[in-house]
Amino acid sequence: MSKPHIPYFDFYPADFMNGVRGLTPQEVGVYTMILCRIYEESGPVEYHAERLATYCGMRVSAFEKTMERLIVLGKFSLSEGMLSNRRAETEIDSRSNKLKINSRAGKESAKKRQQKQSTAATDVQRPFNHTEADTEATLSSVAKAPALGDFDILQSKLIAAAGDDGIQPHSALIVGPIAELISAGVSLELDILPTVKAVAARRTRPAASWSYFLPAIREAYEKRIGATRDLPKPKTMDESEIAWARRLRFARDKRIWSTSELGPRPGQPGCRVPASLLVDGDGEGWKEIENRSAA
């Protein structure tokens, strides 16, 4: 299985300066470009002289001469047509292991938080009232949280919404703050993903963690819920016998009925009119009408 492409690597200035001491500026440039290419591919790269010379902005002959010296000096090794660097290989493996550890830690942390859920009812606002430092303690405060589903799917959706440069790679796998919101009832599709996408698009640098997006998600959630809350509530129909008797008198007089408002007409299955008010012939030959007040 190929290694994941992760757009960063640890850089140690002192080690780098020691490594390039004694090289010409051209050799330092080629060394740096090829080293970055190895990190970019998360492993050895094919030694294709023309392609790599173009990558370095050099003539092929000059590039080949420079690479020969770098290989002789042990800066790169060439085996079966592949260029590699021992230090880079070590760092790539270390980086991959760190990501795996962070991923497992994130999943285990979320599981533990779910197991410690409080029995006291809480408002959905509570998950928003924390900082990155106390993320570990907050998921346990959400009462009766639903199953979070597959964390890998959640990670992939969030990363896709944030884009390639929306969040630091080592933080992208720690989805606890977002999982907490989903447990509390915040919508992944309506509130979280659109907000992450919009916020990430405005940034010039990757976010440090998913917690960075919480204030904007809260604003989106409150706006959506507030809009729903402000909608006029549907009128509750009076189901008393007095009200039904009045409707029946009107229906009998006009020989009409509104199924959309009053339900099935008399004589049909599911009729809501109290049986004690019905008489023989009710509903027979009545015309169907729409949009008449049920009051």
Side-chain angles (χ1 to χ4, degrees):
M1 183 175 64
S2 62
K3 295 181 180 180
H5 289 241
I6 307 171
Y8 80 97
F9 62 89
D10 293 330
F11 181 75
Y12 305 92
D15 290 352
F16 179 79
M17 294 300 292
N18 287 330
V20 300
R21 184 173 290 116
L23 299 182
T24 68
Q26 181 169 284
E27 290 167 349
V28 172
V30 172
Y31 173 71
T32 303
M33 293 293 286
I34 301 302
L35 195 61
C36 287
R37 191 78 182 92
I38 291 173
Y39 277 112
E40 189 177 31
E41 290 297 317
S42 293
V45 297
E46 181 184 2
Y47 183 41
H48 190 292
E50 291 184 359
R51 186 180 302 135
L52 293 178
T54 301
Y55 181 77
C56 294
M58 300 174 62
R59 295 180 182 275
V60 176
S61 58
F63 173 79
E64 289 180 329
K65 183 177 180 180
T66 302
M67 281 302 305
E68 287 177 4
R69 175 166 165 76
L70 291 174
I71 291 172
V72 168
L73 292 174
K75 303 303 179 182
F76 295 109
S77 59
L78 179 62
S79 176
E80 298 181 355
M82 302 297 289
L83 279 172
S84 62
N85 174 279
R86 184 173 58 184
R87 174 65 179 271
E89 290 289 310
T90 300
E91 291 294 330
I92 289 169
D93 288 339
S94 175
R95 179 178 62 181
S96 177
N97 290 333
K98 287 179 182 178
L99 289 176
K100 290 178 182 178
I101 292 171
N102 287 342
S103 178
R104 288 196 298 268
K107 294 177 182 179
E108 290 299 321
S109 178
K111 290 179 181 179
K112 290 179 181 179
R113 289 194 295 266
Q114 281 185 287
Q115 294 171 355
K116 295 178 182 178
Q117 290 170 1
S118 169
T119 56
T122 60
D123 186 84
V124 72
Q125 291 293 336
R126 188 166 179 177
F128 291 111
N129 298 328
H130 73 285
T131 62
E132 294 184 32
D134 59 21
T135 293
E136 293 295 319
T138 53
L139 184 56
S140 61
S141 68
V142 181
K144 301 179 181 178
L148 295 179
D150 192 325
F151 274 81
D152 292 331
I153 294 177
L154 176 58
Q155 290 168 5
S156 65
K157 286 186 175 183
L158 288 170
I159 293 172
D164 293 337
D165 299 319
I167 187 167
Q168 293 287 354
H170 60 280
S171 299
L173 303 179
I174 310 301
V175 298
I178 302 299
E180 178 184 352
L181 299 187
I182 296 173
S183 296
V186 179
S187 172
L188 176 65
E189 302 296 336
L190 297 179
D191 304 317
I192 297 172
L193 295 181
T195 302
V196 168
K197 183 176 181 179
V199 172
R202 297 194 297 265
R203 288 182 58 82
T204 57
R205 298 177 59 186
S209 76
W210 294 116
S211 293
Y212 173 83
F213 298 93
L214 295 188
I217 294 174
R218 173 166 64 179
E219 182 178 351
Y221 170 81
E222 290 177 343
K223 184 176 181 180
R224 180 175 65 85
I225 296 301
T228 304
R229 188 184 302 117
D230 293 338
L231 291 175
K233 295 182 179 180
K235 188 176 180 180
T236 302
M237 190 173 72
D238 187 352
E239 297 278 357
S240 67
E241 288 195 4
I242 294 176
W244 278 114
R246 183 177 68 252
R247 296 181 192 116
L248 276 175
R249 287 194 299 270
F250 182 87
R252 288 167 184 159
D253 181 53
K254 304 295 183 180
R255 300 188 64 76
I256 59 176
W257 189 261
S258 177
T259 300
S260 63
E261 297 172 332
L262 305 176
R265 72 179 62 181
Q268 294 183 346
C271 178
R272 291 156 56 188
V273 181
S276 61
L277 300 178
L278 296 174
V279 298
D280 292 342
D282 278 346
E284 294 181 4
W286 291 3
K287 183 180 179 181
E288 180 67 28
I289 65 170
E290 299 293 338
N291 300 325
R292 193 184 69 82
S293 174

